[in-house]
Amino acid sequence: MRSAQALICLLLSGAASVAGQDCSTVAFDIPATSQNAVFTSPPNPNNETDVIQFMLAAFRGTPPPTSGTTAVSGTFTIMGTYCVPSNQTASKNVLQVLVHGITYGKDYWAGLGFADEFNWHLAANARGYATLAIDRLGHGENPQRPDPLAVVQPQMHVEVLHQLIAAVRTQSPLSPPSVLGRAYDKVVWVGHSYGSFLGSTIARQFPADADAMVLMGFSTTENFTDVLTAAWTAAAHHAPADGNLPTGYLTLASEAGRAAVFYAGEFDPALPPLDFAREDTITDGEGAAIPVLLEPAPGFTKPVFVATGAQDVFFCNFGSVAECETKLAKSRPDFFPDVSEANFGIFAPDKTGHDIHLHFSAPRTYAAVHDFLDAKL
Ligand SMILES: *[C@@H]1O[C@H](CO)[C@@H](O)[C@H](O)[C@H]1NC(C)=O
Ligand SMILES: *[C@@H]1O[C@H](CO)[C@@H](O)[C@H](O)[C@H]1NC(C)=O
Ligand SMILES: *[C@@H]1O[C@H](CO)[C@@H](O)[C@H](O)[C@H]1NC(C)=O
């Protein structure tokens, strides 16, 4: 089925407007088929320890063995926050698709509602870019919580978001009304962490999808020690609201542990408690099938910008700015060998941890990313 035929509704219930932007809540109904990994020895779904160790194995460098792939299909509702610049004169015909990381939902991009200073939508809209932050399948406000191991895998995210990008680009008299009420000529993939690796995978598998990539909380020199040492728990055991979730939906068990991996350097100390109170999940399938995300994207030639905090525990590992810049630069030969030097940019703000724009350096990150996009698109 063509994705454009699958779009159904525009919900205005979440409509909100602040200076510089107009936001609404939207929902896409997306049919997708994915070749998902089949694991040789899946965990006992009733044994929390077993499920957690299974999710962590790929981070440890020993992904669970697979016996090939199998086709998994479904029609999934993907919720989004869609914001457009209120100044139509300054508005560009460019949509940024914002894809969150592990244990977050789309509210990551709205600074978790904490302060305008950490709101990516506001910063992008002020520069003339429309923004669509989506909840990845199985997360955020999405109504469905599919099987965490068999269905919610990275390849399924890639297929769903490939269909979503086709939908936001398409509007013809023959197709049903588009969810956004208009079509966009240009789409920029803006990822954070896991959302960045999904971006590099889209660049490899569907190079026509994005006109540019902004990959944050990202490098090809990773150190996942702190993922392994953090305390994980089944979300069902952690928050009453998640009580019915399958054990394969996992989350971080302690506020201090969460703050230590996502924040470093200079940030508002009131943010990590709020962040912990609102944390989302990772599924065991998202963790175990990570190898599909770690391949280079030869053939992708469009602009790529990598922005990662110098104190990012996973991707710059508390190095100096110069050490971090070396790692970010290395991601071009490692993952984007056909992106020219002129089409590649990096930014490594100091005193900044993994959740890059939730730190006080956010205005500099907004400026670096949008200066690059203005120059390249
Ligand atoms: C649960 O899984 C762990 C790790 O695989 C294992 O050591 C333990 O024996 C299992 N517990 C039960 C009750 O099966
Ligand atoms: C809207 O954008 C145009 C073009 O950038 C600018 O000249 C104008 O001052 C802006 N209007 C407001 C109200 O900000
Ligand atoms: C990886 O990170 C851990 C914790 O941040 C650190 O102790 C360790 O030295 C790092 N390993 C390497 C090879 O840099």
Side-chain angles (χ1 to χ4, degrees), residues 105-275:
K106 62 184 178 316
D107 284 358
Y108 172 77
W109 300 103
L112 307 171
F114 181 72
D116 286 355
E117 185 181 356
F118 308 119
N119 189 322
W120 186 276
H121 294 280
L122 264 181
N125 296 161
R127 295 287 295 253
Y129 295 84
T131 47
L132 173 65
I134 57 86
D135 282 326
R136 285 196 275 107
L137 180 64
H139 301 293
E141 288 187 311
N142 292 338
Q144 293 152 304
R145 291 291 183 268
D147 185 293
L149 185 62
V151 180
V152 187
Q153 292 192 11
Q155 187 62 41
M156 182 62 88
H157 291 311
V158 166
E159 302 294 346
V160 167
L161 294 172
H162 170 62
Q163 299 294 337
L164 183 137
I165 287 174
V168 300
R169 284 182 182 281
T170 305
Q171 177 161 269
S172 81
L174 297 176
S175 62
S178 126
V179 169
L180 302 184
R182 57 158 294 176
Y184 282 90
D185 287 346
K186 288 187 176 167
V187 171
V188 179
W189 182 285
V190 179
H192 170 63
S193 195
Y194 200 92
S196 296
F197 286 89
L198 288 169
S200 61
T201 306
I202 283 261
R204 167 164 58 91
Q205 297 184 357
F206 301 108
D209 277 10
D211 296 282
M213 290 268 159
V214 176
L215 308 179
M216 293 182 283
F218 174 90
S219 77
T220 50
T221 312
E222 69 280 356
N223 177 340
F224 290 132
T225 303
D226 286 30
V227 174
L228 302 173
T229 54
W232 292 91
T233 177
H237 300 163
H238 182 62
D242 292 330
N244 293 324
L245 276 181
T247 309
Y249 284 84
L250 302 162
T251 196
L252 288 158
S254 96
E255 182 184 316
R258 185 171 177 87
V261 293
F262 293 143
Y263 296 85
E266 295 185 349
F267 56 90
D268 192 317
L271 202 37
L274 173 79
D275 184 318

Side-chain angles (χ1 to χ4, degrees), residues 44 47-51 53:
N44 173 356
N47 180 334
E48 183 178 12
T49 309
D50 204 21
V51 171
Q53 291 312 315

Side-chain angles (χ1 to χ4, degrees), residues 267-351:
F267 56 90
D268 192 317
L271 202 37
L274 173 79
D275 184 318
F276 183 63
R278 300 179 59 153
E279 70 177 346
D280 206 280
T281 62
I282 176 175
T283 75
D284 49 354
E286 289 177 313
I290 270 179
V292 76
L293 299 177
L294 302 182
E295 292 177 44
F300 189 80
T301 56
K302 287 175 279 185
V304 175
F305 193 81
V306 178
T308 297
Q311 284 77 42
D312 185 310
V313 65
F314 307 125
F315 298 106
C316 277
N317 207 228
F318 297 110
S320 65
V321 168
E323 285 168 331
C324 186
E325 286 172 343
T326 301
K327 289 177 180 166
L328 303 192
K330 187 172 176 293
S331 59
R332 184 172 70 97
D334 282 353
F335 264 33
F336 299 103
D338 294 327
V339 172
S340 68
E341 207 162 324
N343 257 353
F344 188 78
I346 60 169
F347 182 60
D350 200 8
K351 302 185 172 66

Side-chain angles (χ1 to χ4, degrees), residues 1 35 53 66 70 76 89 96 152 183 196 267 313 376-377:
M1 184 187 278
Q35 288 295 327
Q53 291 312 315
T66 60
T70 190
F76 305 111
T89 313
Q96 297 182 2
V152 187
S196 296
F267 56 90
V313 65
K376 299 299 172 190
L377 288 176

